[in-house]
Amino acid sequence: MFRGVGPPLPRDRRSPFTSSARSSAAPQVRSAPPREGYPLTPVGPPDTAEISIREHLRRWQEQLPVTESDVVMLHGLQDVHEPGALRNAITRPQDGDRLSDISEDLDPINDNIVVAPDSDDQVPEVAESLPFLQQGDLVELFGAVGPILAIFIRNLETQSQFYTMHGKWVHRLPRKVFFYVPRFVSPSLVAQITPYLPQTEVMDEKIDQMQALDPSVPREVGAALIKPMLAFLEASDEAYRRLARNFAKAHDSMAHDVEVRYATLEEIAKQILGEGPQGRWPESTLWALHRALLQSGYGFSPDYRNHRVSGTFEIRPRREGHTIERVRSWMRQYQEDLIADATAAATGNARKTPSSSPGRNNPPIAGFVRKARAVIEHSRKRRAATKSGTIGPSPVKVDYNATSARAVYRWVRLSDFPFDDAEITIIRVLEAWTATRTIAVHSSLASLGPMILRATGMYEGYDLGLATGFMFLQEIGVLVPWANRLTFDARLALPGHVLHPEIEKMREKAVYAAKANQFVPQDAMAGLRKDWGDLEVFCIDREESAEIDDGVSLERVGDSSSEFWVHVHTANPSAFIGPDHVMAKYAAHLTETVYFPDVFYPMLSPVLTKTHFSLAADRPTLTFSAKLTKEGTILDTKITPGTVRNVSYVTPTVVRRALSSGEGKEADTTPSPATTLTVGGEMPELWFGGRKENLLQTLSPSQQETLRTLRELGAAARRRRESRGAVGVNFPKPEASVYISLFQRTAQLPRRNYARYLEGDPVISMQPIVFDPIPNPDRFSNEMLVPDLMILAGEIAAKWCQDRSVPVIYRGTLVNPENQSPEAFREEHIDPVVRRLGYAPLTLVARYLRLVGKGVSSPHPIKHTILGSEAYTKVTSPLRRYSDLLAHWQIEAALRHEAQTGRSLVDSPDGSDPRLPFSYSQLEGMIPRVSERERMISQAKSSAQRHWIMQLLFRAHYFKEAPLPETFEMFIFSKGRVSLAGKFSGYLKELGLDVELMENQLTRDHGGVDIGDCWETRIHQISVYDRSCTMEPVRLIEKANPFWGEKQVGRL
């Protein structure tokens, strides 16, 4: 079998990491009691009153005298594992079709909660980004004994149905499929077995029971599918045996010594196998290679978020592989020494070469474990260990006014506990396991982390999985107690983390080029700019926003009271930074600015943005304008380079309150502190101070009237789009604000040279968004003011480019032909309910949004069903999104050509004009990577917000740093992970936060949980590491409205 780095660890029943061996090898160290108010016992969910068979076995094992050879380890195993926990593969049925999921543990994302969009365009991230599986496709799934082949049958709501090579049906999430062969068998063959298969979703815990009672597909019927799968398996196994030597050399052939590389499966095959027959290797050979790469455990990592789109493997550097192999050899030697010492102690025969002999080359593991144990004991005197994947807050509060950096924390180094080079190597491997996650969770290498944790003897009662490993790094002072693991994501490749040396070099060049003595601004649109004079431009953004991309203005058409020019003014860095500039190349890599609540990764230099490009008086703009009627009809459009003079800044809160006040009155826009949930003390005002000189706190009657007119025109344009199929989306999106220090806008890197601890913790605040499943039209229109106008700008730009055959990155949706058509679903289910209730229930809206299918990008115009637009592109954020910058370059080149020739490019037959910076073919090559990066960053930004909200709830709930209600009302929105772990997803009405509801006897007594139910719940468990909050049902408040429930919808 192919190995990436070294042989597997030996499996020895006399493991030194059993409870009996550990007691003889290393004494238990008890921590001194923590300070008052900080519990010594692990923080986590209460123990269940019901004792499982496995718990009886554990207790039986502890009570009876046993020898090491008798011990069967049951610690850490669970009936249904949580993300990041150790997997139970011992006590589960070892059926070949019993599915495990190598991607499930990596970064749990709730696929059933609609991700709220960015505020600039309000385009929800709900369209499936992966290629559609179609009937007859061959796919790879992961069973308890390894990969298995299956045929895709159909989609059943949130699950996909497959028929395996063993003649059994299984249900799985479609995004968990990484390898597939399209059109492997005819759909007509698939149709023969569908009458024998379940017609609806099946919960995971019921699959075993149903398959035991269900005769399933008769063998003579299923044979038509099983035989070609077995033939494919046989061909692939033959290729595996024949090419095993080549596969074993794959990492050495493809990897760089210190830099990360990326390659597709076909590129790897060509490199290590040569040119395939007829220019391409057979699918069976590619699957053999695919299996070998995944089984290596290290070296090749698929894109677990989007592998069916990107098809790329991340190839880790050779040096990292050598580091992991070194630690594995140390661990093997440590195990052997413990076994030999225990054997010698039991027999009374002294070892020939004791592990403590002077001059012996002792493995560093033993010393590291002893040191870590002492440091952890020290840590637990100050911070509580928890079962939430993080340590508790410090009882010491640091006054930020007393530190030069205005920080709310301070480091305290433990000088008695330095880490030497070997120990730093061990720490780096632990980081690769639990922080950067570059060690595959299903490989034998992933056992190194749990072995080290168990050897410390400090984690009895803990699951020795990724979350506990992350907390271990916090307890020894390598990571800060509030560390966000997203910042260490190797594939996200954020700058400043020294994970990718080539990226750091590119960033350094971009920073140097942005210096004042290096950057000389030259306006490519000079002579073409319009002076907007006194026209007031409103920039509506959060107070702390550093990059102001856009503003809006209103211009009346003569004396008309029904026609207006709506202008969306955008920053114009593209006129000063060309596509070949080093800063543009760095922007292409990063793809967009990454905003986390605590960290800021700018796409363009903040210095240049602040001094030259961010919207302000006398700054250049590219303006997208539409002449609109009050009914939303577009009479004319234009794109104009210009300069704005009169710019006013206002926050969304001020605008929302002003528009909600009475007509013609000055609104009270003072925010209410009672609506904010905060831990760590008051949020320092200096965090927000000094950004804008003319930030409006109140709006005059004339300003309110202008904004109301803009709101009404945007809403009219939205109604026009709704008539073409768009659905208004306004899911809650609470956001956290974080203060760490005045200058803390870059991530805190691991500190490995000394053990240390921190005093103090960040200030975290969140303004809850009260969630109401019944939409408020007026409130919705107020919140959609900016998104409506940003979408309008995207439509203007797309139509302008389409008319001139200018290639840009158009955004759209592609309907899955296997699903019901969105139009038919809307007519059948949504429209009748809207006529009856006056609004579309969110559950139906979410189902409709899923039916619109795949989100796609193309250099050619494509319909965007969610937006109701025939053509759409993004152009309003050129300071923070590369695709918008690219669109500006294309548009400006066309504008200059029209100005120079005096001739419009409308109806131009060819968009590959050499005067354009990018041709159709160039964009086709760029779009896959840009789209992949945008999706990855979008998920990361949402997850970072969620990390800090979970930190806030963790400290408020377990450590009482802020008052929380005893119970919360929860609206059940979707099935969430119910098919995998018996959980439903929904929103807490008091916070607007999406959480999960566990099922229990109470829910079963009420006939189960239905979408649209409202339950009274209390917090059961908060996991900061997994960014999850699980609620426990307390009382059923209200059953689902019959017009909301899934039974009214039927199979999608």
Side-chain angles (χ1 to χ4, degrees):
M1 184 174 292
F2 171 69
R3 292 183 282 103
V5 280
L9 285 170
R11 296 180 179 271
D12 194 323
R13 291 192 64 207
R14 296 188 304 161
S15 169
F17 300 103
T18 60
S19 56
S20 56
R22 183 176 53 251
S23 62
S24 63
Q28 295 294 305
V29 180
R30 294 186 177 274
S31 301
R35 300 189 183 187
E36 185 177 354
Y38 287 80
L40 177 63
T41 56
V43 176
D47 292 334
T48 177
E50 298 178 358
I51 300 177
S52 66
I53 293 175
R54 188 173 295 105
E55 180 61 25
H56 279 297
L57 289 173
R58 287 196 188 99
R59 296 184 181 185
W60 176 77
Q61 176 180 305
E62 292 171 356
Q63 293 171 3
L64 294 180
V66 293
T67 64
E68 289 180 5
S69 61
D70 297 326
V71 173
V72 177
M73 287 301 298
L74 295 172
H75 297 287
L77 302 181
Q78 304 180 46
D79 287 329
V80 179
H81 79 281
E82 293 294 327
L86 288 179
R87 190 181 306 282
N88 180 354
I90 297 175
T91 58
R92 282 295 194 183
Q94 295 305 296
D95 188 324
D97 289 344
R98 184 71 198 175
L99 294 185
S100 61
D101 193 340
I102 66 170
S103 68
E104 187 178 307
D105 289 338
L106 288 188
D107 216 350
I109 298 171
N110 191 338
D111 298 325
N112 297 289
I113 288 289
V114 177
V115 178
D118 289 341
S119 60
D120 66 327
D121 51 24
Q122 200 73 5
V123 181
E125 301 286 345
V126 294
E128 177 60 73
S129 61
L130 300 175
F132 300 129
L133 291 175
Q134 298 186 21
Q135 272 196 349
D137 288 354
L138 179 71
V139 304
E140 174 196 57
L141 303 178
F142 288 87
V145 294
I148 61 174
L149 295 171
I151 299 292
F152 173 72
I153 306 300
R154 59 189 166 188
N155 290 316
L156 296 172
E157 299 186 36
T158 61
Q159 295 178 341
S160 291
Q161 188 176 71
F162 302 93
Y163 186 65
T164 75
M165 63 186 185
H166 301 133
K168 291 187 177 181
W169 56 265
V170 294
H171 288 185
R172 209 64 182 135
L173 296 178
R175 72 164 55 245
K176 306 305 183 184
V177 174
F178 298 146
F179 183 90
Y180 77 114
V181 180
R183 299 177 294 279
F184 183 72
V185 297
S186 168
S188 61
L189 294 178
V190 176
Q192 296 177 17
I193 72 168
T194 53
Y196 300 94
L197 303 178
Q199 306 299 306
T200 59
E201 277 190 331
V202 179
M203 294 184 184
D204 190 60
E205 62 266 25
K206 294 182 179 179
I207 287 181
D208 291 335
Q209 179 184 0
M210 289 187 65
Q211 289 186 336
L213 298 176
D214 182 19
S216 193
V217 180
R219 296 291 290 185
E220 63 274 11
V221 178
L225 300 183
I226 295 174
K227 287 181 179 179
M229 283 192 281
L230 294 179
F232 184 90
L233 174 64
E234 183 178 354
S236 183
D237 285 347
E238 189 280 328
Y240 202 122
R241 292 189 293 268
R242 177 167 42 87
L243 300 170
R245 291 182 181 274
N246 301 75
F247 293 168
K249 300 175 183 177
H251 191 252
D252 285 338
S253 299
M254 299 295 298
H256 187 274
D257 281 340
V258 296
E259 295 182 357
V260 177
R261 288 179 172 176
Y262 297 88
T264 65
L265 189 63
E266 290 80 3
E267 290 169 341
I268 297 172
K270 186 176 181 179
Q271 175 71 21
I272 67 174
L273 302 178
E275 196 74 41
Q278 300 177 344
R280 190 177 191 274
W281 287 95
E283 297 288 354
S284 57
T285 302
L286 292 176
W287 187 50
L289 174 60
H290 174 85
R291 285 185 289 159
L293 299 182
L294 288 185
Q295 290 168 358
S296 66
Y298 176 82
F300 293 92
S301 300
D303 178 2
Y304 288 102
R305 298 177 181 89
N306 235 17
H307 193 70
R308 292 214 317 275
V309 168
S310 66
T312 59
F313 284 85
E314 181 180 75
I315 307 171
R316 302 302 300 174
R318 294 191 192 97
R319 186 177 297 177
E320 287 186 11
H322 297 158
T323 297
I324 295 173
E325 173 60 20
R326 190 179 309 120
V327 172
R328 178 153 66 171
S329 67
W330 292 343
M331 176 56 73
R332 186 181 298 112
Q333 185 178 348
Y334 175 68
Q335 288 180 295
E336 293 170 353
D337 285 345
L338 283 182
I339 293 172
D341 287 343
T343 302
T347 61
N349 298 323
R351 288 186 61 187
K352 293 182 179 179
T353 308
S355 58
S356 58
S357 296
R360 187 182 190 276
N361 185 21
N362 292 321
I365 298 292
F368 177 75
V369 165
R370 287 192 296 270
K371 187 176 295 184
R373 187 183 301 127
V375 174
I376 292 170
E377 181 185 25
H378 202 284
S379 171
R380 292 184 185 177
K381 295 176 182 179
R382 292 163 175 79
R383 292 180 184 263
T386 78
K387 293 189 176 181
S388 296
T390 187
I391 55 180
S394 169
V396 177
K397 302 303 177 186
V398 176
D399 181 4
Y400 63 84
N401 288 313
T403 64
S404 58
R406 301 291 183 93
V408 294
Y409 72 94
R410 58 174 166 259
W411 287 98
V412 180
R413 191 170 76 170
L414 300 176
S415 300
D416 292 338
F417 299 102
F419 293 123
D420 60 30
D421 290 343
E423 291 166 337
I424 291 173
T425 298
I426 297 170
I427 289 171
R428 288 186 182 277
V429 171
L430 290 171
E431 290 174 26
W433 169 53
T434 189
T436 61
R437 309 281 281 269
T438 51
I439 295 178
V441 295
H442 64 289
S443 74
S444 62
L445 292 172
S447 65
L448 290 173
M451 286 178 176
I452 292 172
L453 297 183
R454 182 170 288 135
T456 67
M458 300 299 291
Y459 295 99
E460 289 290 340
Y462 288 82
D463 184 285
L464 302 183
L466 296 169
T468 304
F470 199 75
M471 185 178 71
F472 170 82
L473 292 176
Q474 294 176 339
E475 291 202 282
I476 65 173
V478 173
L479 301 180
V480 295
W482 51 86
N484 177 4
R485 64 185 172 88
L486 283 166
T487 60
F488 305 106
D489 189 320
R491 192 173 279 269
L492 195 56
L494 295 173
H497 293 270
V498 201
L499 296 173
H500 299 267
E502 70 278 13
I503 295 173
E504 300 304 326
K505 295 176 185 176
M506 188 185 303
R507 183 173 70 103
E508 290 172 3
K509 292 179 180 178
V511 170
Y512 179 77
K515 291 183 178 180
N517 61 343
Q518 296 295 321
F519 182 76
V520 180
Q522 294 182 347
D523 188 0
M525 305 304 289
L528 301 179
R529 296 197 179 276
K530 173 181 177 177
D531 192 324
W532 290 98
D534 293 332
L535 184 68
E536 186 172 20
V537 177
F538 293 94
C539 295
I540 305 172
D541 213 331
R542 294 178 62 180
E543 185 173 355
E544 65 270 26
S545 295
E547 301 168 320
I548 308 302
D549 278 292
D550 54 70
V552 295
S553 66
L554 181 71
E555 187 177 4
R556 299 184 180 274
V557 179
D559 296 330
S560 175
S561 60
S562 60
E563 295 181 5
F564 304 85
W565 276 103
V566 174
H567 306 294
V568 178
H569 308 272
T570 67
N572 196 201
S574 54
F576 301 86
I577 301 173
D580 294 325
H581 196 282
V582 64
M583 286 189 283
K585 292 179 180 179
Y586 175 70
H589 156 72
L590 196 59
T591 309
E592 64 178 83
T593 292
V594 181
Y595 284 108
F596 293 166
D598 60 321
V599 187
F600 170 53
Y601 302 92
M603 185 183 79
L604 296 177
S605 164
V607 174
L608 286 186
T609 295
K610 183 177 181 179
T611 58
H612 292 286
F613 303 136
S614 187
L615 277 194
D618 305 321
R619 292 278 174 86
T621 62
L622 191 63
T623 300
F624 302 86
S625 306
K627 189 178 183 181
L628 286 174
T629 68
K630 284 191 172 182
E631 291 74 31
T633 303
I634 298 178
L635 303 176
D636 193 9
T637 63
K638 58 186 176 183
I639 300 178
T640 312
T643 304
V644 292
R645 306 294 183 186
N646 182 13
V647 177
S648 297
Y649 303 104
V650 60
T651 66
T653 300
V654 171
V655 171
R656 186 165 53 249
R657 296 190 179 189
L659 296 181
S660 300
S661 66
E663 297 285 337
K665 299 178 182 177
E666 284 208 7
D668 178 14
T669 57
T670 304
S672 171
T675 62
T676 301
L677 186 64
T678 304
V679 296
E682 294 186 7
M683 182 65 70
E685 291 186 5
L686 55 87
W687 177 230
F688 308 112
R691 185 179 65 80
K692 307 181 188 76
E693 296 179 358
N694 53 338
L695 180 67
L696 300 178
Q697 297 297 330
T698 60
L699 298 175
S700 67
S702 63
Q703 289 172 325
Q704 291 185 48
E705 177 60 29
T706 296
L707 291 174
R708 282 198 182 90
T709 302
L710 286 170
R711 176 192 64 184
E712 292 166 2
L713 292 170
R718 178 176 9 103
R719 288 191 292 272
R720 170 183 55 82
R721 293 187 288 104
E722 288 173 347
S723 67
R724 298 199 295 259
V727 173
V729 180
N730 192 28
F731 295 94
K733 185 184 177 182
E735 294 184 342
S737 295
V738 178
Y739 180 82
I740 299 177
S741 77
L742 185 61
F743 308 109
Q744 186 66 52
R745 295 304 285 164
T746 58
Q748 292 174 308
L749 300 178
R751 300 194 176 199
R752 309 180 186 95
N753 56 341
Y754 274 90
R756 65 195 76 222
Y757 65 91
L758 276 84
E759 294 179 334
D761 292 281
V763 181
I764 313 170
S765 68
M766 177 187 76
Q767 187 167 4
I769 300 175
V770 178
F771 171 72
D772 189 344
I774 301 177
N776 182 319
D778 292 334
R779 179 179 176 182
F780 181 68
S781 291
N782 290 343
E783 293 175 347
M784 287 294 291
L785 187 158
V786 172
D788 281 340
L789 299 183
M790 298 303 110
I791 293 172
L792 178 63
E795 288 185 305
I796 294 168
K799 183 66 167 60
W800 193 94
C801 292
Q802 180 181 11
D803 290 344
R804 292 161 175 77
S805 298
V806 174
V808 292
I809 301 179
Y810 293 95
R811 316 296 179 123
T813 54
L814 189 62
V815 175
N816 187 343
E818 297 289 330
N819 290 342
Q820 180 182 1
S821 77
E823 293 79 9
F825 178 86
R826 180 179 179 130
E827 293 174 2
E828 182 179 354
H829 299 291
I830 294 182
D831 291 345
V833 176
V834 170
R835 288 192 293 268
R836 183 181 181 91
L837 301 180
Y839 63 92
L842 290 179
T843 51
L844 292 183
V845 171
R847 290 176 178 271
Y848 172 79
L849 291 174
R850 293 188 189 103
L851 285 175
V852 302
K854 175 185 175 185
V856 294
S857 298
S858 170
H860 304 279
I862 185 170
K863 182 178 180 180
H864 202 304
T865 305
I866 297 178
L867 297 182
S869 300
E870 294 302 319
Y872 175 76
T873 189
K874 295 185 178 184
V875 292
T876 58
S877 299
L879 294 178
R880 64 178 185 85
R881 195 161 50 212
Y882 181 75
S883 64
D884 301 43
L885 195 63
L886 185 150
H888 281 219
W889 283 321
Q890 298 287 84
I891 290 170
E892 289 163 10
L895 285 171
R896 287 194 297 269
H897 178 73
E898 290 185 339
Q900 292 165 3
T901 62
R903 180 173 56 85
S904 172
L905 289 176
V906 172
D907 297 328
S908 173
D910 187 2
S912 299
D913 192 302
R915 285 173 289 268
L916 295 176
F918 301 97
S919 66
Y920 279 109
S921 60
Q922 286 175 305
L923 283 187
E924 285 175 344
M926 297 169 62
I927 282 175
R929 184 190 178 279
V930 170
S931 299
E932 178 190 358
R933 288 282 301 172
E934 286 181 345
R935 278 189 289 267
M936 191 184 306
I937 291 171
S938 176
Q939 289 178 355
K941 289 191 295 186
S942 296
S943 296
Q945 283 288 347
R946 192 167 182 82
H947 165 83
W948 284 103
I949 291 173
M950 290 301 113
Q951 277 276 0
L952 186 153
L953 292 180
F954 165 76
R955 289 165 59 180
H957 175 68
Y958 292 122
F959 297 92
K960 312 304 179 186
E961 289 196 35
L964 290 175
E966 288 293 325
T967 61
F968 298 83
E969 286 189 36
M970 181 175 175
F971 175 79
I972 305 303
F973 181 78
S974 71
K975 291 189 176 181
R977 292 194 295 142
V978 66
S979 59
L980 300 177
K983 294 182 181 180
F984 283 80
S985 296
Y987 287 101
L988 297 182
K989 290 187 175 183
E990 296 85 350
L991 301 178
L993 181 68
D994 59 287
V995 296
E996 290 183 324
L997 180 74
M998 60 182 289
E999 290 192 286
N1000 60 11
Q1001 188 59 47
L1002 179 62
T1003 62
R1004 290 188 284 272
D1005 291 343
H1006 286 281
V1009 178
D1010 291 321
I1011 294 175
D1013 283 357
C1014 186
W1015 288 82
E1016 181 182 0
T1017 65
R1018 59 171 166 253
I1019 294 175
H1020 173 71
Q1021 183 179 25
I1022 297 169
S1023 173
V1024 176
Y1025 184 81
D1026 294 321
R1027 303 182 296 273
S1028 66
C1029 179
T1030 302
M1031 309 299 292
E1032 177 185 358
V1034 174
R1035 178 176 64 91
L1036 176 64
I1037 297 175
E1038 184 180 12
K1039 286 299 288 182
N1041 185 308
F1043 291 96
W1044 294 7
E1046 58 183 340
K1047 296 177 183 178
Q1048 297 294 321
V1049 178
R1051 190 175 78 82
L1052 297 186

